[in-house]
């Protein structure tokens, strides 16, 4: 089998099957805006069994002798996952060629998993010199071979003979993807200083676990703060934390549930008592800031514009996570800033 056919059919186990292929539930992706996106779209099509679409991502050099042969190559393939590495590019007369490191994990209908890895070459022809029909970025060739590594570790460091391109910031990319999937549609499209919301403020935190020995190496965590929205007097943000095992998760902020009593039941009057009745979590941080020196996140939620009524939280980084250590509440709408502390667990990290 030639390299192109191998690359296109690496996810398949060539065993005949009499049952019809059913479409997967994977979200549809057809993105030709970059070389990496084309590869992801190719395997999205294969995962969904949209074989005509998968066939269409190739240029004149097709991955099999005909379309029927291409489809038969995936008879036993149930699903496929793909990972891509850092893309390199090289210009030529009227074209740009991209090299994309790729690893895939093919799952058969019998539940067996096989990993393949290699490189794809894609071509983008200068649009100014084209005539209809337009030729988008397409796959020129590819070659994948069986790998004994796990899917994430099998991605080649580079493709071609040149120096390896800069490595991707995997934690940052995971955090971006998670944030945009959850909040991309509800947040503003730019930060107040006109940067895209997908570009977070990033911080690196070195620490030791509480049970670590003196000679144990430091551990590292990454904190990402994504701006979301600027309202009349409150700014919202979301935080993601990556540990040194590669796990990325969204921070949830503990907040106390409060029973606030006012004299004569008048919320505009004097506060009689503020009692903590429990705790809950919130995913959003209001008017927040991360202090790198103290390793704390502060939140400051104004209950109205003048700021005389508010709640403020202090979250301290300890043992790889952020914990609520102090919470202040100013429940009186009296024009004065006079908070009282309702939670205080503040201890040194």
């Amino acid at each position: 089998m030639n390299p192109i056919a191998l690359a296109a059919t690496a996810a398949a186990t060539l065993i005949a099957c009499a049952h019809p292929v059913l479409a997967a539930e994977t979200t549809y992706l057809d993105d030709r805006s970059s070389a990496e996106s084309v590869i992801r779209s190719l395997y999205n099509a294969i995962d969904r069994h949209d074989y005509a679409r998968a066939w269409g991502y190739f240029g004149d050099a097709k991955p099999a002798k005909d379309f029927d042969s291409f489809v038969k190559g995936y008879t036993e393939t149930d699903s496929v996952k793909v990972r891509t590495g850092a893309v390199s590019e090289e210009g030529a007369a009227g074209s740009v060629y991209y090299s994309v490191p790729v690893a895939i994990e093919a799952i058969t209908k019998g539940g067996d998993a096989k990993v393949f890895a290699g490189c794809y070459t894609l071509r983008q022809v200068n649009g100014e010199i084209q005539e209809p029909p337009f030729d988008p970025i397409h796959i020129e060739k590819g070659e994948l071979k069986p790998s004994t590594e796990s899917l994430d570790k099998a991605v080649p460091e580079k493709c071609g003979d040149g120096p390896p391109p800069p490595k991707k910031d995997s934690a940052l990319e995971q955090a971006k993807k998670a944030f945009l999937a959850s909040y991309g549609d509800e947040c503003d499209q730019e930060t107040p200083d006109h940067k895209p919301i997908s570009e977070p403020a990033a911080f690196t935190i070195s620490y030791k676990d509480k049970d670590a020995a003196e000679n144990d190496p430091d551990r590292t965590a990454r904190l990402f703060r994504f701006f979301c929205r600027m309202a009349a007097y409150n700014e919202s943000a979301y935080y993601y934390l990556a540990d040194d095992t590669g796990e990325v998760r969204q921070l949830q902020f503990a907040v106390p549930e409060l029973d606030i009593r006012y004299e004569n039941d008048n919320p505009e009057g004097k506060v009689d008592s503020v009692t903590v009745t429990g705790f809950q979590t919130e995913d959003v941080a209001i008017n927040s800031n991360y202090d790198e020196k103290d390793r704390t996140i502060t939140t400051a939620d104004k209950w109205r514009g003048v700021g005389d009524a508010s709640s403020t939280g202090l979250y301290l980084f300890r043992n790889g996570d952020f914990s609520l250590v102090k919470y202040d509440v100013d429940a009186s709408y009296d024009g004065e800033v006079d908070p009282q502390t309702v939670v205080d667990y503040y201890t040194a990290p």
Side-chain angles (χ1 to χ4, degrees), residues 100-291:
V100 185
V102 174
I104 66 169
E105 182 180 66
I107 311 297
T108 69
K109 292 178 180 178
D112 295 328
K114 295 183 179 180
V115 175
F116 301 83
C119 296
Y120 277 91
T121 298
L122 295 89
R123 182 185 182 191
Q124 180 178 13
V125 180
N126 188 343
E128 295 181 357
I129 64 175
Q130 292 196 46
E131 296 181 355
F134 177 73
D135 181 16
I137 300 176
H138 62 262
I139 301 169
E140 288 275 293
K141 61 181 180 179
E143 182 175 9
L144 302 182
K145 297 180 180 180
S147 173
T148 58
E149 299 282 359
S150 66
L151 177 60
D152 290 321
K153 292 183 179 180
V155 181
E157 183 179 354
K158 66 172 183 174
C159 291
D161 299 327
K167 290 185 177 181
K168 281 188 174 181
D169 188 334
S170 177
L172 175 59
E173 293 302 317
Q174 289 184 63
K176 285 184 180 181
K177 183 178 180 180
F179 167 69
L180 291 175
S182 298
Y183 307 108
D185 292 337
E186 71 179 52
C187 294
D188 296 340
Q189 295 307 300
E190 289 187 337
T191 66
D193 53 357
H194 305 294
K195 294 180 180 179
I197 60 169
S198 59
E199 298 300 325
F203 309 93
T204 299
I205 307 171
S206 295
Y207 69 99
K208 287 186 182 293
D209 286 324
K210 64 177 181 179
D211 299 324
E214 183 178 350
N215 295 329
D216 286 349
D218 286 352
R219 298 192 62 182
T220 301
R222 305 274 304 285
L223 180 67
F224 304 104
R225 180 190 188 275
F226 290 89
F227 167 84
C228 178
R229 177 175 296 161
M230 176 66 77
Y233 45 85
N234 282 326
E235 175 189 302
S236 61
Y238 295 94
Y239 287 79
Y240 290 79
L241 186 66
D243 64 24
D244 47 16
T245 69
E247 179 186 0
V248 177
R249 59 184 175 82
Q250 184 179 355
L251 285 185
Q252 300 292 324
F253 296 92
V255 294
E257 295 179 337
L258 302 174
D259 178 19
I260 302 173
R261 302 295 178 93
Y262 296 90
E263 288 187 357
N264 301 319
D265 292 327
N266 178 15
E268 298 294 328
K270 184 179 179 180
V271 175
D272 185 49
S273 65
V274 178
T275 305
V276 175
T277 59
F279 289 86
Q280 59 185 359
T281 60
E282 295 180 350
D283 57 0
V284 64
I286 303 299
N287 298 327
S288 65
N289 179 64
Y290 174 64
D291 187 310

